[in-house]
Amino acid sequence: MAAAKSRYIKEHHKYKMMYWDRFDYSILTNNVMYYRKKGKFQKGTWNDIIIAADTETSKSHEISSDPLPNHICAWTISIRIYHINLVTLYGTRPSELIQTIQCIRDALKGDEFSIYFFNLSYDYFFLRRFLFDAFGTPEKELNTKPHFPILLKFGNGMMLRDALILAQCKLEKWAEDLNVEHQKAVKAWDYDKIRDQGGTFTRSELKYIEHDTLALVECLDAFCVSLNKNISSIVYTATGVPREELRDRAKKNNGHNEFLKQALTYEQMQKFVKLYHGGYSHANRFYIGDIMNLDETDGADFVSSYPFCALAYKYPHGRFSRFKNVKPEFVLRNCEDYAFIFKISFINIELKDKLYPMPALQASKCEASINMEVDNGRVLSAGYCTLYLCDVDLQVLAEQYKWDPATTCTEVETAPKDYLPRWFTDYVFELFADKCKRKPTKSIDPVGYALAKMRLNCLYGLCVQSSFIRRNYVEVIEPGEYQINEKGDKREFASGEYREDFSKDMIKQYQKYVENHNTVLCYQVGTYITAYAFRNVHTLINCVTKFYKKDGSLAYPFHAFYVDTDSCYSDDWNMDKVAAYNEHCKELLRANGYGPVEVDGKEYWLGIAEFDDDSKYSEFVFLGAKRYAGRQIKDGKLHITVAGVPKKEGALCLKNDLKKFNKDFVFDGNITGKKTHYYIVAENGIYTDEYGNEIGDSIDLQPCDYELDATEKYEYTETEDFYLPIYMEENL
């Protein structure tokens, strides 16, 4: 039946973009198939149709208020069935968009249908009042945080879904990666122009709004085809793809029962949440703001750092059990065969060498401290500090720091170590192999390569999801605010009352999470993956050439300039050490039965450090974590990395002068395109302004400047004492 309807559409219907009220909606009634939902608890039917919508907005004519109310001035809906673009409908008024949705709803025979927006959070805020008036308030909603809905389901079977969280990149890049027919028409729309509803559009403007939704339905279709999914079964988010595949493997390999054998208690889980840390980002405090042009600054990057850690190392295996208080040296002697988690109280901790530029101890993790000196969030010294650690993190600290013998580990718990289950590590390796094999043929199979890369990148996130404390925010319709809607969350209700049974409810939630048959990955695995990666990047730092005095201390601050999670920049690499490190990575993989991926005679190894032309700079400067810039040798242009600033546009602000990249430099929001959101709630609901524009709630986007700051630079002299007095008896 579907094949016959597909042939009919190809033979009798030609794609067009048209005004919304000129389309014959009975085409949908006669040609869209609907199917009964699959699954034990699934009821109703779904329509086999891909629909994408988008709105364009304009600022108001007003100049008296700040922020200014905005209004919708154009919208499109593209429809695709049987891998064929059917139509793109457009209009100017939000009420027309609602009428179009109603026409589609009336024409479809099935119970449910989805409409995708790319960045639903923006469009929804403009449309919410109109949607409520027509279809009532959502009967189901999934919001990861206020104003960021992933799914909104209404009583008429319509589901609004967000494609951005599925793509995890801009629509322009998604369309390019998936190589769809229609690409986003970039820079064809003047966002500064004030437009009123009912206005007309130029040909280029029509193409712009058309391609926004046309590219999206094609991307969604390509995504479904590659995953062998349909629009009803497609996952909500990018991590949902490997999650489903992993669960299928786990079920075939008794994964949940294995999980139960090593499941953490609620109290242990809380400890792991406390000791978990992300990647290591740090800048050499002795060279803050200095332009490095000593020869060539070269960046070394690990190949798939986190997947490598999952395959190469051993992890807690079995349940953790309480152990006696011990000295940190006991943990270090036994950590090869046993995992340890503990609370450590450091007495008189300080760097072994005061010139070491990459201290590892994270100040924010310390629950208490005395006389602590900090370098951009990392501890240089402290008279006393206490925090939760695991054995792998302690190994790194032991290499860098010395402490008083009175330092003790308490609340110690231990478990034996072993490799992760084969069904999991084989899946990790297969994803890496799939990505490598598709890389040389990326232009031939762009969809497959993009999905392979996405699967691999999302895999680590599945290991650190504490699903039992996941929050869902529900919108309070008036006045457009959000509350956490999760049993067990301690929050203030509308009445001003608080939940007092927070702990009991959370324990119950956690137990439910543990017993869920879909729970197959242990949180401690993700914690140890980051710990191993943390240790590896510090090993890479030590591959930078060092010069020593006769007494064994560093002769000057050595040239490890900047480090970020899985990479390190320096102009003085000891390539013998790098080669030795890479060979060690290969030995670790072979020990667990894994080797290289061979493609066209080339070997691809997980975990090794590689040097890429994109990371070679003739000039390089850094101001702190996530704040660096350099002139790339390959193209001679400036490239920047600043958290919160678009790379390409941010580099333009420097006007080819790296000297401008310093403290207090301001990235112009008009150049970077960075915007601040101002949410404007219409106090009296929907209204029509003097220009005839229908307006509900709106968002005002205004250019947002970004001012650079810098970590404090340390000036080194031979006689300088870097540290404050450490041990003060009266404070301990």
Side-chain angles (χ1 to χ4, degrees):
M1 180 69 75
K5 291 183 180 296
S6 175
R7 285 195 301 271
Y8 175 83
I9 292 295
K10 289 180 180 178
E11 295 171 2
H12 297 90
H13 186 84
K14 184 178 180 180
Y15 167 82
K16 289 182 180 179
M17 181 184 188
M18 64 178 67
Y19 201 67
W20 70 277
D21 63 356
R22 297 174 187 169
F23 179 61
D24 181 4
Y25 291 90
S26 65
I27 294 172
L28 304 179
T29 305
N30 298 328
N31 292 285
V32 174
M33 296 291 294
Y34 64 98
Y35 303 94
R36 195 155 294 280
K37 288 183 176 181
K38 295 180 180 180
K40 187 175 180 181
F41 301 104
Q42 298 288 337
K43 296 181 180 180
T45 57
W46 61 275
N47 294 281
D48 190 11
I49 182 172
I50 300 177
I51 307 173
D54 185 44
T55 64
E56 301 298 340
T57 61
S58 170
K59 287 187 178 293
S60 166
H61 289 269
E62 296 180 31
I63 59 173
S64 58
S65 63
D66 189 18
L68 290 170
N70 285 236
H71 57 265
I72 291 172
C73 62
W75 60 264
T76 53
I77 289 181
S78 290
I79 300 174
R80 185 174 172 92
I81 56 175
Y82 314 122
H83 316 301
I84 305 167
N85 291 328
L86 186 68
V87 68
T88 295
L89 307 170
Y90 76 95
T92 61
R93 299 179 181 278
S95 60
E96 296 170 345
L97 175 57
I98 300 302
Q99 290 180 63
T100 303
I101 293 173
Q102 187 62 60
C103 290
I104 293 171
R105 167 66 280 179
D106 293 342
L108 296 174
K109 295 179 180 179
D111 297 326
E112 293 183 0
F113 67 105
S114 295
I115 300 179
Y116 277 87
F117 289 81
F118 205 86
N119 192 9
L120 173 61
S121 62
Y122 183 80
D123 301 88
Y124 172 65
F125 202 75
F126 282 87
L127 291 171
R128 56 190 294 278
R129 299 274 187 169
F130 300 92
L131 290 165
F132 297 161
D133 283 356
F135 310 122
T137 56
E139 63 178 28
K140 177 183 178 182
E141 54 184 305
L142 178 60
N143 303 278
T144 55
K145 54 184 177 179
H147 300 300
F148 278 88
I150 295 175
L151 170 73
L152 297 161
K153 183 178 180 181
F154 291 80
N156 63 351
M158 175 184 68
M159 290 183 288
L160 305 184
R161 294 178 62 173
D162 185 21
L164 174 58
I165 199 167
L166 184 64
Q168 295 289 309
C169 62
K170 292 182 178 180
L171 178 58
E172 176 186 356
K173 187 177 188 308
W174 205 31
E176 181 181 336
D177 287 347
L178 300 184
N179 197 30
V180 296
E181 179 184 355
H182 294 88
Q183 298 290 309
K184 183 175 172 65
V186 181
K187 297 181 180 179
W189 186 270
D190 182 1
Y191 282 97
D192 293 325
K193 181 179 178 180
I194 296 178
R195 307 168 192 265
D196 294 317
Q197 295 165 3
T200 58
F201 306 107
T202 66
R203 183 174 297 180
S204 63
E205 288 173 338
L206 284 173
K207 179 182 178 181
Y208 178 86
I209 62 176
E210 175 190 21
H211 279 219
D212 267 0
T213 49
L214 206 52
L216 182 50
V217 292
E218 291 173 356
C219 286
L220 290 166
D221 196 6
F223 200 80
C224 288
V225 170
S226 291
L227 295 174
N228 196 26
K229 296 278 188 181
N230 55 57
I231 201 65
S232 174
S233 61
I234 193 172
V235 293
Y236 292 158
T237 67
T239 55
V241 178
R243 182 189 292 114
E244 286 188 350
E245 295 173 346
L246 204 56
R247 282 175 177 172
D248 288 342
R249 292 194 176 218
K251 288 177 182 177
K252 295 175 183 177
N253 291 275
N254 208 24
H256 180 64
N257 286 338
E258 287 299 313
F259 165 82
L260 290 175
K261 293 177 182 178
Q262 49 196 324
L264 301 172
T265 66
Y266 179 71
E267 291 75 15
Q268 289 169 339
M269 181 70 178
Q270 288 182 311
K271 288 183 182 179
F272 268 98
V273 170
K274 289 179 180 179
L275 66 87
Y276 168 81
H277 57 78
Y280 178 85
S281 296
H282 202 72
N284 189 320
R285 63 187 179 278
F286 299 103
Y287 296 109
I288 296 295
D290 294 344
I291 296 178
M292 303 288 107
N293 53 8
L294 303 176
D295 280 319
E296 172 185 290
T297 298
D298 205 352
D301 292 86
F302 291 141
V303 177
S304 299
S305 175
Y306 285 179
F308 165 75
C309 292
L311 269 61
Y313 299 113
K314 294 183 178 181
Y315 291 78
H317 186 76
R319 292 189 181 277
F320 275 88
S321 57
R322 291 299 298 267
F323 199 70
K324 61 184 178 180
N325 294 350
V326 298
K327 295 296 182 182
E329 292 73 23
F330 177 87
V331 174
L332 294 171
R333 287 196 303 269
N334 294 278
C335 63
E336 184 175 344
D337 298 318
Y338 292 91
F340 291 88
I341 59 170
F342 48 89
K343 188 174 187 178
I344 190 166
S345 298
F346 286 114
I347 307 290
N348 280 353
I349 183 172
E350 62 177 329
L351 287 173
K352 292 178 179 178
D353 196 309
K354 295 178 181 179
L355 297 186
Y356 188 71
M358 298 293 168
L361 182 55
Q362 192 169 340
S364 63
K365 287 291 183 179
C366 297
E367 296 187 342
S369 66
I370 297 174
N371 288 349
M372 179 180 285
E373 187 180 15
V374 178
D375 166 30
N376 197 25
R378 302 287 168 172
V379 177
L380 299 176
S381 67
Y384 170 84
C385 65
T386 181
L387 72 161
Y388 285 92
L389 288 177
C390 71
D391 53 284
V392 180
D393 289 331
L394 182 62
Q395 287 179 296
V396 180
L397 299 184
E399 289 181 0
Q400 295 184 15
Y401 294 87
K402 57 185 177 181
W403 48 74
D404 192 282
T407 296
T408 304
C409 301
T410 59
E411 300 181 35
V412 183
E413 300 194 53
T414 185
K417 281 184 178 179
D418 203 349
Y419 288 117
L420 295 176
R422 209 71 186 177
W423 60 264
F424 177 74
T425 56
D426 282 351
Y427 179 66
V428 176
F429 188 77
E430 286 172 21
L431 293 186
F432 175 71
D434 190 32
K435 175 189 172 184
C436 293
K437 291 174 181 177
R438 293 178 186 273
K439 192 171 184 178
T441 59
K442 180 181 176 182
S443 59
I444 300 173
D445 183 19
V447 180
Y449 178 76
L451 288 174
K453 186 177 179 180
M454 181 203 69
R455 280 188 180 100
L456 186 63
N457 291 344
C458 290
L459 196 56
Y460 160 72
L462 300 179
C463 299
V464 287
Q465 287 185 326
S466 48
S467 301
F468 73 101
I469 55 173
R470 183 176 58 219
R471 288 172 167 81
N472 180 32
Y473 291 80
V474 173
E475 186 175 12
V476 181
I477 303 305
E478 298 294 344
E481 297 179 351
Y482 287 77
Q483 289 181 342
I484 296 172
N485 180 33
E486 180 191 358
K487 186 178 180 182
D489 261 303
K490 187 174 183 179
R491 64 175 176 86
E492 187 175 8
F493 288 83
S495 64
E497 297 176 356
Y498 287 88
R499 297 191 67 90
E500 298 297 342
D501 54 351
F502 174 69
S503 296
K504 291 182 180 179
D505 282 345
M506 287 303 292
I507 293 172
K508 190 182 298 183
Q509 288 260 355
Y510 179 68
Q511 195 58 40
K512 184 178 179 181
Y513 157 79
V514 169
E515 294 171 358
N516 188 325
H517 285 278
N518 286 325
T519 305
V520 295
L521 292 176
C522 300
Y523 185 83
Q524 57 265 40
V525 170
T527 302
Y528 267 78
I529 284 177
T530 53
Y532 281 127
F534 174 73
R535 188 180 69 182
N536 289 346
V537 80
H538 280 280
T539 303
L540 181 63
I541 293 168
N542 288 324
C543 291
V544 173
T545 302
K546 299 179 183 178
F547 295 92
Y548 297 96
K549 298 177 183 178
K550 290 182 180 180
D551 64 1
S553 62
L554 284 175
Y556 61 87
F558 75 99
H559 287 189
F561 294 143
Y562 182 81
V563 180
D564 191 354
T565 306
D566 60 356
S567 63
C568 177
Y569 291 85
S570 174
D571 70 334
D572 197 3
W573 285 99
N574 185 324
M575 297 309 296
D576 290 337
K577 286 188 175 182
V578 175
Y581 174 82
N582 287 345
E583 189 56 41
H584 180 62
C585 289
K586 295 175 183 180
E587 291 173 1
L588 289 171
L589 289 169
R590 292 191 191 102
N592 196 20
Y594 296 102
V597 176
E598 296 187 18
V599 182
D600 298 334
K602 181 179 179 180
E603 289 187 349
Y604 294 88
W605 284 91
L606 282 155
I608 63 172
E610 291 187 336
F611 295 86
D612 187 272
D613 287 344
D614 289 342
S615 298
K616 296 181 185 295
Y617 297 92
S618 59
E619 296 178 284
F620 191 72
V621 63
F622 46 89
L623 301 178
K626 304 296 184 182
R627 288 161 288 172
Y628 65 91
R631 188 176 303 280
Q632 199 178 85
I633 292 176
K634 185 172 73 172
D635 61 12
K637 297 179 180 179
L638 293 184
H639 294 254
I640 73 161
T641 294
V642 177
V645 177
K647 292 178 181 287
K648 185 177 179 180
E649 294 78 6
L652 294 176
C653 295
L654 297 175
K655 298 181 180 179
N656 203 35
D657 184 0
L658 196 58
K659 293 178 182 178
K660 294 180 181 292
F661 192 85
N662 53 40
K663 185 179 180 181
D664 300 329
F665 176 79
V666 176
F667 289 96
D668 188 342
N670 291 302
I671 298 176
T672 64
K674 186 76 175 175
K675 305 286 187 182
T676 297
H677 288 59
Y678 294 93
Y679 292 90
I680 305 169
V681 177
E683 294 182 1
N684 298 316
I686 298 171
Y687 66 96
T688 302
D689 70 9
E690 59 182 299
Y691 300 95
N693 298 307
E694 302 171 348
I695 303 175
D697 301 333
S698 66
I699 301 171
D700 190 21
L701 297 178
Q702 296 186 9
C704 176
D705 294 342
Y706 181 95
E707 183 176 329
L708 269 176
D709 62 353
T711 302
E712 180 184 355
K713 181 179 179 179
Y714 282 65
E715 299 293 343
Y716 168 67
T717 62
E718 287 286 344
T719 59
E720 182 175 356
D721 184 0
F722 287 99
Y723 303 125
L724 297 171
I726 296 175
Y727 186 78
M728 296 179 66
E729 184 75 32
E730 64 271 20
N731 289 332
L732 294 179

